[in-house]
Amino acid sequence: MERNSLPVSVWEEPERVDEVLRAVDTRLDGKQAAAWSRKRNRRILNVVMKHAIRRRVLRTNPLPKGKEATTVTKTSNAVDKRSLMNADQAAALLDWIRRRPRGGTRLHAFFATLYYCALRPEEAVAMRVQDVILPDSDTRDQWCELLIHTATPEVGKQWTDTGEIHEKRDLKGLAEGETRTVPGHPALTGILRQHVEDEQLKPGDLLFQGETGGILAGSVIRRAWRSARKAVLPPHVFESPTGRRVYDNRHTRLTKWLNDGIPPAQVAEWAGNRVPVLLATYARCVEGQLPDLKRRLEAAGDLPEPPGAG
């Protein structure tokens, strides 16, 4: 490595810096990397340069600064409207998963929870039975309540201290140890009540388990969702962004809440986001409110007639 590594002094040569930047902006197949990847790679490079300066290996940061560094990596958090599912598509996908011969009912309960409560997949797989408050079956109000307090994303065995595929983390976007509560539609209440009964789950058990009783694997989730899309959606819709990712269940629900007129502050609390982030992400997807807004603007009246106007 020492023989084949260039000396640190080459960072003082602009041509070399440009070569490195072109490399981190390019995929192995020679095509340009996605905007988010380019931005992340350059951010990592900057961290390395700052570390080198602290260790007195470099005197200054040789990477571009200001507009020169960011103009090529503009990104947007806005959700693509084409990824959202309509009610008929969501119902058909959930029904196909429910009728799936292998583990269909378990996976149906999982995907229904994502759809009705806008959970992130890593939050849903971490839930315990005791995290769901189900009303009595004879109660008039059949809304359930989900307490979300942990996420277990898949990060790979080589990246965890325990050697497990999943890593236990606090909720994304919230302070350490913070929780949030999400209401569950009565339709979801019935699904989860039946799921707990069928699986004979105890309060401390994982709510959604794999076939061997462990955490539900991401590969199983993604494979089931892709199979459902391929079986249910017409070919041109299957090839489109509509519901392409499991995460699109969350996008669809959050957009629906906003379109239904639920205040953004409330939606942000249920989603575990800050209001500015929520609006920046979903503002382009909010629709159907223009007629009501026009009526409200008309009700405010026009300019008063000037005196003596005929």
Side-chain angles (χ1 to χ4, degrees), residues 8 11-12 49-50 52-54 56-63 65:
V8 178
W11 283 108
E12 298 177 2
M49 294 300 108
K50 290 177 182 178
I53 292 170
R54 284 199 304 269
R56 298 181 182 179
V57 177
L58 290 175
R59 289 175 294 178
T60 59
N61 188 339
L63 300 178
K65 300 174 182 63

Side-chain angles (χ1 to χ4, degrees), residues 31-50:
K31 296 180 181 179
Q32 189 179 56
W36 273 112
S37 297
R38 303 199 305 273
K39 194 170 187 177
R40 182 181 65 249
N41 293 342
R42 291 187 176 219
R43 189 181 297 127
I44 293 170
L45 263 183
N46 268 294
V47 171
V48 174
M49 294 300 108
K50 290 177 182 178

Side-chain angles (χ1 to χ4, degrees), residues 40-306:
R40 182 181 65 249
N41 293 342
R42 291 187 176 219
R43 189 181 297 127
I44 293 170
L45 263 183
N46 268 294
V47 171
V48 174
M49 294 300 108
K50 290 177 182 178
H51 177 72
I53 292 170
R54 284 199 304 269
R55 298 295 297 269
R56 298 181 182 179
V57 177
L58 290 175
R59 289 175 294 178
T60 59
N61 188 339
L63 300 178
K65 300 174 182 63
K67 290 185 178 180
E68 185 182 356
T70 58
T71 51
V72 296
T73 55
K74 287 185 178 178
T75 56
S76 172
N77 288 325
V79 168
D80 186 350
K81 289 179 66 172
R82 298 174 301 167
S83 67
L84 305 179
M85 300 172 286
N86 60 41
D88 290 337
Q89 290 168 338
L93 288 166
L94 289 176
D95 183 61
W96 188 92
I97 290 172
R98 180 180 59 81
R99 292 184 287 104
R100 188 172 183 257
R102 186 172 176 178
T105 54
R106 283 186 288 109
L107 287 169
H108 174 255
F110 171 80
F111 283 110
T113 302
L114 297 189
Y115 177 76
Y116 281 111
C117 294
L119 298 191
R120 299 179 178 94
E122 62 265 27
E123 296 170 344
V125 297
M127 289 183 62
R128 302 278 172 177
V129 176
Q130 61 198 15
D131 298 329
V132 183
I133 302 175
L134 296 172
D136 295 332
S137 55
D138 56 352
T139 302
R140 183 174 181 181
D141 183 358
Q142 283 297 299
W143 283 79
C144 62
E145 195 171 74
L146 277 60
L147 177 64
I148 315 301
H149 54 82
T150 308
T152 52
E154 279 190 345
V155 295
K157 293 181 179 180
Q158 67 272 36
W159 303 112
T160 60
D161 294 334
T162 61
E164 300 290 335
I165 296 176
H166 297 81
E167 183 176 63
K168 186 175 180 180
R169 295 180 182 175
D170 289 305
L171 299 182
K172 182 178 179 181
L174 300 183
E176 184 177 350
E178 196 170 353
T179 67
R180 76 177 196 272
T181 303
V182 187
H185 192 278
L188 179 63
T189 299
I191 293 171
L192 291 181
R193 182 182 287 122
Q194 190 65 47
H195 170 68
V196 172
E197 182 180 332
D198 290 345
E199 298 294 317
Q200 298 181 347
L201 299 176
K202 297 180 175 60
D205 292 342
L206 285 170
L207 182 61
F208 306 115
Q209 302 178 1
E211 289 186 339
T212 59
I215 193 167
L216 187 58
S219 58
V220 174
I221 296 168
R222 292 186 293 271
R223 187 163 56 246
W225 186 249
R226 177 178 171 80
S227 298
R229 289 186 74 250
K230 192 168 186 179
V232 168
L233 302 178
H236 69 282
V237 180
F238 174 75
E239 296 296 335
S240 76
T242 302
R244 180 176 293 169
R245 303 183 307 157
V246 174
Y247 208 94
D248 290 328
N249 283 281
R250 172 177 166 86
H251 290 326
T252 299
R253 176 53 53 178
L254 293 180
T255 301
K256 188 176 188 323
W257 280 338
L258 291 171
N259 282 330
D260 288 344
I262 298 176
Q266 181 62 76
V267 176
E269 182 179 338
W270 290 342
N273 280 339
R274 293 182 295 110
V275 174
V277 174
L278 180 82
L279 295 179
T281 306
Y282 298 99
R284 296 179 186 176
C285 302
V286 177
E287 57 185 18
Q289 300 181 13
L290 185 57
D292 180 57
L293 295 175
K294 286 180 177 178
R295 286 193 296 270
R296 289 164 63 181
L297 291 171
E298 288 178 358
D302 202 347
L303 291 172
E305 290 288 340

Side-chain angles (χ1 to χ4, degrees), residues 15-27:
E15 299 82 5
R16 294 287 193 177
V17 175
D18 291 341
E19 287 180 16
V20 173
L21 292 178
R22 279 195 297 272
V24 300
D25 288 349
T26 307
R27 301 190 316 192

